[in-house]
Amino acid sequence: MSEAPVLRVENFSKQFTLHEQGKRIPSSHNVSLSVYSGQLTALIGPTGAGKTTVLKGIYRTYLPGSGRILYRTQAGHEIDLAQADEHRMLALRRMEIGYVTQFLHALPRQATEDVVAQPLLHKGISKTDAQYQAREMLAAMNLPQRLWGISPSTFSGGEKQRVNLARGLVSRPRLLLLDEPTASLDQYTMERVIRLIEKLKTEGVAMLAIFHQKELVDRVANNVVTLEPPPAEEYALEETA
Amino acid sequence: MDKVLEVAKLSKVYGQGCPSCYELTGPQHNTNLCFRCGSIVAAHDVSFDLYKGEILGIMGESGSGKSTAVKCLYFDEPPTAGQATFFDDDKRYDLFALNAAQQRRLANHRFGMVYQNPHLGLNFDISAGGNIAERLLMSDMDNYARIRHQATRLLSRTEVLPERMDELPKTFSGGMQQRVQIAKALSTNPPLLFLDEVSTGLDLSVQAAILDLILEIQQEMGTAMIVVTHDLGVIRLLTGRTLVMKYGRVIESGLTDQILEDPQHAYTQRLVASAL
């Protein structure tokens, strides 16, 4: 690979300490991976291997335990997201790093097109432009137009998933984290999403995605990283404090 | 991004205080009452910064010191120790070194405050419009027609019927009183707004409408805000970063989604686990 990766994760590990129960729960264990511009790295492995934890660690929804998360910014600086200060992290989320979570969290009183336009508004794009781009993305996701003006809280799983994807893709982040983006989609919509992912690749977006279907991995992944559940001895650790 | 406020080691002790006050209080002692001298350590060693257009949450239960911190910054209470610097364009103010007149001027012109109790933020003896006019007069606007126009505009923005602007606040519902308070606080277009439990005690639907309004205003005007609340839902909806306080101390701080999904401190874990 001639080009330097956009993201390089080195020996990332994360455990959760539950004070109330006096327990430590191991999650991701010693994960290393690279993500390149215009390519998709797939994260696979059994449930409990800490795949989502890796994504949340990169996005800093979880505080990373150990290891380094080296991100190369638009401006060409390399920063360790595990150490980056909060304002830096918020700015990166706004401008460069996108995250499509497994489940859509939206306010029950917010219209679908506003949910999708939100990341654009945060990026400083005008309301009219944001709305236009949001509608375009919803159309690309094959979501019926009659649903755009109502809240996604009553939508089916597949419809919610499409809104969630539209919201993640609309702002064209440099690095996109995807947590099972096609889990509840029908074949037709899935094909559309795959085409969209291919399009994002040609635009140079670097993607790290959790997938469960092997067929999908074979079709869209440039690199595959397999996670194993943490070794049994880690579960034996009880909190001492 | 520009910094609006920097708070360093802010402390507030009610009572005469003694050399042991700080040592004998805090989360590890489960109290903020100093047993040696009987003083209350309401807040100690509170430090944070706030950037333009950012909403910072201060979360904690009653008596954690979250309101005290904000009251000191709005000059409602003098702090016992600590520093706070307010950055306004290219000017900077050492807040606690200013004299009373200078502090009043900043509070009237450049800060806004919305209290949980509308009686603290509004004068109940004058009309809703009069309340806004009062603040505008204090900030040197003295043209009657302009004041009236500005008050009408603000009340419509906060969804209070302008036809009711000449009524006394006591004839308004709780939610409406909060809207008038918000309109009053925003009247001078302040770069910094303090919100102290603004939606507590309101009906859920009214609460949601008030919070949506705050969020809209923040996006329109880019106002930096400090939101004090015990309500996790308010924290989740409004804030990007959060401080968690207990017995006067900041026990944890971080990005709001991280505080809610991966809290580190035992107390925060318990708080998050008790969400409905």
Side-chain angles (χ1 to χ4, degrees), chain A residues 66-88:
Chain A
S66 58
R68 299 203 297 170
I69 303 171
L70 302 169
Y71 173 73
R72 194 161 44 80
T73 65
Q74 180 108 54
H77 304 297
E78 190 172 69
I79 55 173
D80 185 354
L81 300 182
Q83 310 284 337
D85 85 76
E86 293 160 15
H87 286 112
R88 186 73 186 261

Side-chain angles (χ1 to χ4, degrees), chain A residues 170-187:
Chain A
V170 75
S171 61
R172 297 276 191 274
R174 283 186 76 234
L175 172 66
L176 184 58
L177 310 169
L178 299 157
D179 196 345
E180 295 200 52
T182 55
S184 38
L185 299 183
D186 57 69
Q187 192 63 34

Side-chain angles (χ1 to χ4, degrees), chain A residues 14 16-20 56 59-64 86-87 89-90 93-94 107 109 118 121-122, chain B residues 1 49-51 54 208 212 219 237 240-241 253-255 257-258 261-266 269-270:
Chain A
K14 167 75 181 170
F16 296 93
T17 304
L18 304 179
H19 295 285
E20 201 87 319
K56 289 197 175 180
Y59 202 63
R60 275 276 290 278
T61 297
Y62 289 165
L63 270 189
E86 293 160 15
H87 286 112
M89 213 51 231
L90 286 173
R93 285 181 180 185
R94 207 162 41 238
L107 293 175
R109 51 184 185 276
Q118 209 172 41
L121 296 176
H122 286 162
Chain B
M1 283 255 276
D49 54 11
L50 180 74
Y51 282 56
E54 177 183 29
D212 285 351
Q219 276 169 9
L237 181 66
R241 290 189 308 133
S253 68
L255 298 170
D257 55 330
Q258 183 251 302
E261 290 196 41
D262 186 20
Q264 304 295 304
H265 197 283
Q269 290 187 356
R270 211 158 50 235

Side-chain angles (χ1 to χ4, degrees), chain B residues 13-269:
Chain B
V13 179
Y14 292 99
Q16 85 233 29
C18 73
S20 313
C21 277
Y22 298 142
E23 263 168 67
L24 296 175
T25 58
Q28 70 277 29
H29 301 287
N30 270 313
T31 183
N32 53 11
L33 176 70
C34 171
F35 73 77
R36 198 151 293 166
C37 70
S39 300
I40 303 282
V41 180
H44 178 51
D45 223 2
V46 176
S47 301
F48 61 86
D49 54 11
L50 180 74
Y51 282 56
K52 207 174 165 182
E54 177 183 29
I55 307 187
L56 175 77
I58 306 184
M59 176 168 94
E61 54 199 21
S62 316
S64 62
K66 54 195 196 308
S67 293
T68 300
V70 163
K71 280 184 185 142
C72 289
L73 295 170
Y74 193 62
F75 311 120
D76 281 345
E77 306 268 2
T80 308
Q83 260 210 321
T85 317
F86 171 59
F87 302 86
D88 192 12
D89 295 325
D90 43 5
K91 293 188 285 293
R92 51 188 294 166
Y93 300 90
D94 181 356
L95 292 185
F96 305 138
L98 302 175
N99 65 35
Q102 291 168 318
Q103 291 189 343
R104 225 171 14 247
R105 206 180 149 72
L106 268 189
N108 286 335
H109 283 72
R110 308 307 284 155
F111 299 167
M113 171 68 119
V114 183
Y115 297 92
Q116 174 180 2
N117 181 351
H119 281 271
L120 292 174
L122 296 176
N123 182 341
F124 271 58
D125 297 326
I126 59 174
S127 69
N131 265 283
I132 295 170
E134 190 183 52
R135 186 164 152 95
L136 288 171
L137 280 169
M138 282 190 288
S139 70
D140 308 332
M141 193 188 270
D142 53 9
N143 175 306
Y144 176 80
R146 270 184 59 205
I147 288 178
R148 181 103 190 147
H149 174 257
Q150 176 81 331
T152 314
R153 194 184 60 81
L154 283 158
L155 289 171
S156 337
R157 179 65 198 84
T158 54
E159 291 153 28
V160 178
L161 285 176
E163 297 86 77
R164 298 193 63 185
M165 74 183 281
D166 296 320
E167 289 177 33
L168 295 178
K170 70 166 185 223
T171 65
F172 288 18
S173 67
M176 279 297 165
Q177 290 170 349
Q178 289 311 62
R179 289 170 188 280
V180 177
Q181 258 207 97
I182 294 171
K184 180 176 181 176
L186 289 173
S187 59
T188 55
N189 211 350
L192 176 57
L193 188 62
F194 302 106
L195 302 156
D196 190 357
E197 298 277 11
V198 277
S199 59
T200 306
L202 301 173
D203 290 339
L204 275 182
S205 59
V206 178
Q207 217 179 86
I210 296 275
L211 297 175
D212 285 351
L213 173 70
I214 290 167
L215 214 50
E216 279 168 36
I217 286 168
Q218 194 268 340
Q219 276 169 9
E220 276 167 36
M221 310 177 41
T223 317
M225 301 185 187
I226 298 180
V227 174
V228 171
T229 182
H230 70 279
D231 187 333
L232 289 175
V234 173
I235 289 284
R236 189 191 307 273
L237 181 66
L238 294 183
T239 70
R241 290 189 308 133
T242 298
L243 309 180
V244 185
M245 287 188 73
K246 192 183 188 199
Y247 290 122
R249 313 299 203 276
V250 175
I251 53 166
E252 179 165 2
S253 68
L255 298 170
T256 295
D257 55 330
Q258 183 251 302
I259 294 286
L260 296 175
E261 290 196 41
D262 186 20
Q264 304 295 304
H265 197 283
Y267 172 70
T268 319
Q269 290 187 356

